[in-house]
PDB file of all heavy atoms in Angstrom:
ATOM      1  N   GLY G 561     -14.214  -2.962 -48.166  1.00  0.00           N
ATOM      2  CA  GLY G 561     -15.611  -2.891 -47.885  1.00  0.00           C
ATOM      3  C   GLY G 561     -16.121  -4.138 -47.164  1.00  0.00           C
ATOM      4  O   GLY G 561     -16.961  -4.037 -46.185  1.00  0.00           O
ATOM      5  N   MET G 562     -15.685  -5.310 -47.541  1.00  0.00           N
ATOM      6  CA  MET G 562     -16.071  -6.530 -46.888  1.00  0.00           C
ATOM      7  C   MET G 562     -15.678  -6.586 -45.415  1.00  0.00           C
ATOM      8  O   MET G 562     -16.464  -6.868 -44.523  1.00  0.00           O
ATOM      9  CB  MET G 562     -15.601  -7.744 -47.594  1.00  0.00           C
ATOM     10  CG  MET G 562     -16.188  -8.010 -49.024  1.00  0.00           C
ATOM     11  SD  MET G 562     -15.457  -9.540 -49.761  1.00  0.00           S
ATOM     12  CE  MET G 562     -16.099 -10.839 -48.734  1.00  0.00           C
ATOM     13  N   MET G 563     -14.378  -6.195 -45.182  1.00  0.00           N
ATOM     14  CA  MET G 563     -13.914  -6.234 -43.850  1.00  0.00           C
ATOM     15  C   MET G 563     -14.643  -5.127 -42.958  1.00  0.00           C
ATOM     16  O   MET G 563     -14.972  -5.403 -41.747  1.00  0.00           O
ATOM     17  CB  MET G 563     -12.391  -5.877 -43.780  1.00  0.00           C
ATOM     18  CG  MET G 563     -11.594  -7.084 -44.196  1.00  0.00           C
ATOM     19  SD  MET G 563     -11.704  -8.458 -43.074  1.00  0.00           S
ATOM     20  CE  MET G 563     -10.540  -9.666 -43.865  1.00  0.00           C
ATOM     21  N   SER G 564     -14.947  -3.983 -43.544  1.00  0.00           N
ATOM     22  CA  SER G 564     -15.621  -2.910 -42.750  1.00  0.00           C
ATOM     23  C   SER G 564     -17.028  -3.475 -42.358  1.00  0.00           C
ATOM     24  O   SER G 564     -17.517  -3.287 -41.219  1.00  0.00           O
ATOM     25  CB  SER G 564     -15.815  -1.721 -43.577  1.00  0.00           C
ATOM     26  OG  SER G 564     -14.446  -1.167 -43.816  1.00  0.00           O
ATOM     27  N   ASP G 565     -17.721  -4.087 -43.291  1.00  0.00           N
ATOM     28  CA  ASP G 565     -19.073  -4.585 -43.051  1.00  0.00           C
ATOM     29  C   ASP G 565     -18.994  -5.720 -42.053  1.00  0.00           C
ATOM     30  O   ASP G 565     -19.890  -5.842 -41.116  1.00  0.00           O
ATOM     31  CB  ASP G 565     -19.741  -5.132 -44.313  1.00  0.00           C
ATOM     32  CG  ASP G 565     -20.120  -4.010 -45.299  1.00  0.00           C
ATOM     33  OD1 ASP G 565     -20.116  -2.855 -44.807  1.00  0.00           O
ATOM     34  OD2 ASP G 565     -20.391  -4.272 -46.480  1.00  0.00           O
ATOM     35  N   LEU G 566     -18.021  -6.608 -42.143  1.00  0.00           N
ATOM     36  CA  LEU G 566     -17.901  -7.688 -41.188  1.00  0.00           C
ATOM     37  C   LEU G 566     -17.602  -7.191 -39.726  1.00  0.00           C
ATOM     38  O   LEU G 566     -18.129  -7.701 -38.752  1.00  0.00           O
ATOM     39  CB  LEU G 566     -16.753  -8.661 -41.647  1.00  0.00           C
ATOM     40  CG  LEU G 566     -16.530  -9.893 -40.787  1.00  0.00           C
ATOM     41  CD1 LEU G 566     -17.795 -10.752 -40.728  1.00  0.00           C
ATOM     42  CD2 LEU G 566     -15.318 -10.711 -41.242  1.00  0.00           C
ATOM     43  N   MET G 567     -16.729  -6.180 -39.688  1.00  0.00           N
ATOM     44  CA  MET G 567     -16.416  -5.604 -38.362  1.00  0.00           C
ATOM     45  C   MET G 567     -17.631  -4.947 -37.752  1.00  0.00           C
ATOM     46  O   MET G 567     -17.816  -4.929 -36.521  1.00  0.00           O
ATOM     47  CB  MET G 567     -15.231  -4.614 -38.480  1.00  0.00           C
ATOM     48  CG  MET G 567     -13.942  -5.228 -38.818  1.00  0.00           C
ATOM     49  SD  MET G 567     -13.400  -6.553 -37.721  1.00  0.00           S
ATOM     50  CE  MET G 567     -13.638  -8.016 -38.827  1.00  0.00           C
ATOM     51  N   ALA G 568     -18.485  -4.332 -38.616  1.00  0.00           N
ATOM     52  CA  ALA G 568     -19.653  -3.727 -38.135  1.00  0.00           C
ATOM     53  C   ALA G 568     -20.645  -4.763 -37.469  1.00  0.00           C
ATOM     54  O   ALA G 568     -21.231  -4.590 -36.404  1.00  0.00           O
ATOM     55  CB  ALA G 568     -20.441  -2.974 -39.268  1.00  0.00           C
ATOM     56  N   ILE G 569     -20.675  -5.972 -38.114  1.00  0.00           N
ATOM     57  CA  ILE G 569     -21.504  -7.059 -37.532  1.00  0.00           C
ATOM     58  C   ILE G 569     -20.877  -7.463 -36.169  1.00  0.00           C
ATOM     59  O   ILE G 569     -21.602  -7.762 -35.180  1.00  0.00           O
ATOM     60  CB  ILE G 569     -21.539  -8.235 -38.515  1.00  0.00           C
ATOM     61  CG1 ILE G 569     -22.334  -7.927 -39.797  1.00  0.00           C
ATOM     62  CG2 ILE G 569     -22.130  -9.537 -37.936  1.00  0.00           C
ATOM     63  CD1 ILE G 569     -22.250  -8.929 -40.862  1.00  0.00           C
ATOM     64  N   LEU G 570     -19.569  -7.641 -36.111  1.00  0.00           N
ATOM     65  CA  LEU G 570     -18.897  -7.980 -34.794  1.00  0.00           C
ATOM     66  C   LEU G 570     -19.280  -6.988 -33.750  1.00  0.00           C
ATOM     67  O   LEU G 570     -19.605  -7.321 -32.589  1.00  0.00           O
ATOM     68  CB  LEU G 570     -17.411  -8.043 -35.004  1.00  0.00           C
ATOM     69  CG  LEU G 570     -16.831  -9.146 -35.883  1.00  0.00           C
ATOM     70  CD1 LEU G 570     -15.300  -9.085 -35.843  1.00  0.00           C
ATOM     71  CD2 LEU G 570     -17.311 -10.510 -35.457  1.00  0.00           C
ATOM     72  N   ARG G 571     -19.223  -5.660 -34.026  1.00  0.00           N
ATOM     73  CA  ARG G 571     -19.532  -4.687 -33.058  1.00  0.00           C
ATOM     74  C   ARG G 571     -20.951  -4.702 -32.606  1.00  0.00           C
ATOM     75  O   ARG G 571     -21.320  -4.612 -31.425  1.00  0.00           O
ATOM     76  CB  ARG G 571     -19.237  -3.261 -33.554  1.00  0.00           C
ATOM     77  CG  ARG G 571     -17.733  -3.029 -33.723  1.00  0.00           C
ATOM     78  CD  ARG G 571     -17.507  -1.474 -34.043  1.00  0.00           C
ATOM     79  NE  ARG G 571     -18.033  -1.100 -35.247  1.00  0.00           N
ATOM     80  CZ  ARG G 571     -17.355  -1.104 -36.441  1.00  0.00           C
ATOM     81  NH1 ARG G 571     -16.132  -1.611 -36.451  1.00  0.00           N
ATOM     82  NH2 ARG G 571     -17.927  -0.682 -37.540  1.00  0.00           N
ATOM     83  N   ASP G 572     -21.913  -5.017 -33.582  1.00  0.00           N
ATOM     84  CA  ASP G 572     -23.268  -5.110 -33.255  1.00  0.00           C
ATOM     85  C   ASP G 572     -23.540  -6.305 -32.272  1.00  0.00           C
ATOM     86  O   ASP G 572     -24.480  -6.195 -31.388  1.00  0.00           O
ATOM     87  CB  ASP G 572     -24.171  -5.319 -34.518  1.00  0.00           C
ATOM     88  CG  ASP G 572     -24.166  -4.010 -35.325  1.00  0.00           C
ATOM     89  OD1 ASP G 572     -23.840  -2.932 -34.800  1.00  0.00           O
ATOM     90  OD2 ASP G 572     -24.485  -4.151 -36.538  1.00  0.00           O
TER      91      ASP G 572
END
Side-chain angles (χ1 to χ4, degrees):
M562 290 181 70
M563 285 296 182
S564 297
D565 291 344
L566 183 60
M567 293 305 109
I569 293 174
L570 292 184
R571 289 191 296 271
D572 290 342

